[in-house]
Amino acid sequence: MSAPVAVTIGPRPEPVHTIAVYAFAGMAPFELGVVVEVFGLARPELSGLLAAPWYDVRVCADRPGEPLEAVGGFAVTPRHGLDELAAADTVMVVGVPNAFSGEVSPGLVEALRTAHQRGARIVSICSGAFALAAAGLLDGLEATTHWRYAALLQQRHPLVRVNPDVLYVDNGSVLTSAGSAAGIDLCLHLVRQDHGAKVANTVARRFVVPPHRDGGQAQFIEAAVRPVDETDDGVGRSMRWALDHLAEPLTVPALARVARMSDRSYLRHFTARNGTSPMRWVITQRIAASLPLLEAPEGTVEEIAAAVGFESAATFRHHFGRTMRTSPTAYRRTFGRTAA
């Protein structure tokens, strides 16, 4: 008898998080594109930042391999079926064919229930909430959808607590977002949950999203940092300087001096360029800078407030609550990393 052969087995690779997104005939391509852009794009800028593997995106349909006509005169041919959607780690429904008619694929409803029962994270964008509601996954929960459909969703599914005033609602394993661009906010929120604020900010920076979205904000929404372009105009120069001096007292006169403008001219040019006032922009950047500090185990809230330039912890908590709809302590409890 021959001697047994020794086989060396390397470390088992960590499983990749699979994201399945549902496609259908007549879909608007924006929401599908958002999911693919956030989760499916190669991201060399994240090299060295990821503690876990990135995502594997699979576009799924009732009949894989068949072209689906999309709004705009082109077709999408999904490679994967509903069995793979039901088996994914995160399932995303970016719409339904017609919210007003109540049409929802029975196969999709079944796949959503199967995925939810096995513990998958279920996510909707825009009218996709109707599919989640049809599967019974929103009963007794707060949810949102596009404002145009909010009253209809409430009427058709009275067990759902529809909130039309937020960008998204996070119920843990079931998440819903408002229409179109709110899907970006929710996708970045998922990245932040899975990989932390620094990675989410890096993705947002490449996505070139606005620095702050005023209005209804869901809990834990982060104000993504807008990159400051490299043009040497006065406003851009002052913004780059401010980002390097967030811990210092920053005032409009100080920023105007860096820009070599009068205070009045600086206010006018800054607001025209950024759609917000200089001090509101500074507050947004300070809050964004505080997020990775809150995720780290070191430093008290008071120390972090001072490090990013707030005059007191009370002021920090006030502005943090207005922007994030939660407190710094609650944010740290949810997203903080324990000391090694």
Side-chain angles (χ1 to χ4, degrees):
M1 177 185 288
S2 60
V5 178
V7 178
T8 301
I9 301 176
R12 184 175 181 178
E14 189 171 350
V16 175
H17 187 111
T18 57
I19 291 186
V21 53
Y22 180 70
F24 54 91
M27 64 185 168
F30 179 83
E31 289 84 356
L32 176 65
V34 165
V35 173
V36 174
E37 174 87 5
V38 172
F39 301 109
L41 194 67
R43 296 197 174 276
E45 70 271 20
L46 298 181
S47 177
L49 295 179
L50 294 176
W54 198 239
Y55 305 95
D56 176 21
V57 176
R58 302 175 184 180
V59 181
C60 303
D62 291 87
R63 292 182 292 277
E66 293 187 12
L68 299 174
E69 290 292 328
V71 174
F74 65 94
V76 175
T77 305
R79 297 177 181 173
H80 306 282
L82 295 182
D83 55 340
E84 292 184 72
L85 183 141
D89 299 304
T90 295
V91 176
M92 304 194 69
V93 184
V94 297
V96 294
N98 189 332
F100 295 104
S101 72
E103 177 185 354
V104 178
S105 160
L108 174 61
V109 168
E110 173 100 18
L112 288 173
R113 289 171 176 164
T114 299
H116 185 255
Q117 287 169 1
R118 39 168 294 276
R121 183 169 58 185
I122 312 296
V123 182
S124 71
I125 299 175
C126 196
S127 65
F130 285 85
L132 274 59
L137 305 186
L138 299 180
D139 289 355
L141 299 178
E142 181 178 327
T144 194
T145 186
H146 193 291
W147 59 264
R148 186 184 180 202
Y149 306 131
L152 180 62
L153 180 64
Q154 186 67 82
Q155 177 185 5
R156 188 172 294 158
H157 300 280
L159 295 181
V160 181
R161 303 196 308 273
V162 179
N163 184 349
D165 298 324
V166 294
L167 292 178
Y168 62 81
V169 175
D170 182 348
N171 288 297
S173 63
V174 180
L175 303 91
T176 55
S177 79
S180 300
I184 300 174
D185 297 292
L186 181 51
C187 287
L188 291 175
H189 175 66
L190 298 178
V191 173
R192 186 167 52 253
Q193 279 189 328
D194 296 341
H195 297 284
K198 189 171 184 179
V199 171
N201 268 350
T202 302
V203 174
R205 188 174 294 113
R206 181 163 174 182
F207 220 97
V208 196
V209 295
H212 176 70
R213 286 169 61 85
D214 292 318
Q217 300 282 344
Q219 192 175 32
F220 305 137
I221 189 167
E222 178 183 348
V225 177
R226 175 184 174 182
V228 179
D229 62 43
E230 295 301 319
T231 58
D232 196 34
D233 66 286
V235 170
R237 185 168 58 250
S238 72
M239 293 169 72
R240 291 193 297 274
W241 179 83
L243 291 176
D244 290 334
H245 297 82
L246 284 177
E248 302 173 14
L250 296 176
T251 63
V252 170
L255 294 170
R257 280 195 300 272
V258 174
R260 302 189 185 99
M261 296 179 182
S262 69
D263 294 0
R264 181 177 297 180
S265 178
Y266 181 76
L267 281 169
R268 184 174 69 255
H269 285 284
F270 189 100
T271 303
R273 171 176 172 151
N274 296 290
T276 188
S277 70
M279 298 320 298
R280 172 52 58 188
W281 179 84
V282 166
I283 288 170
T284 298
Q285 304 315 308
R286 284 173 166 162
I287 291 170
S290 76
L291 298 182
L293 300 180
L294 288 169
E295 287 192 1
E298 303 85 8
T300 64
V301 170
E302 289 74 14
E303 291 169 338
I304 292 171
V308 297
F310 287 102
E311 60 186 17
S312 69
T315 303
F316 175 45
R317 291 187 178 96
H318 169 74
H319 289 296
F320 195 96
R322 283 188 59 183
T323 300
M324 305 291 289
R325 300 300 189 195
T326 190
S327 68
T329 301
Y331 182 91
R332 167 170 269 179
R333 188 183 306 120
T334 301
F335 297 109
R337 303 186 303 272
T338 57

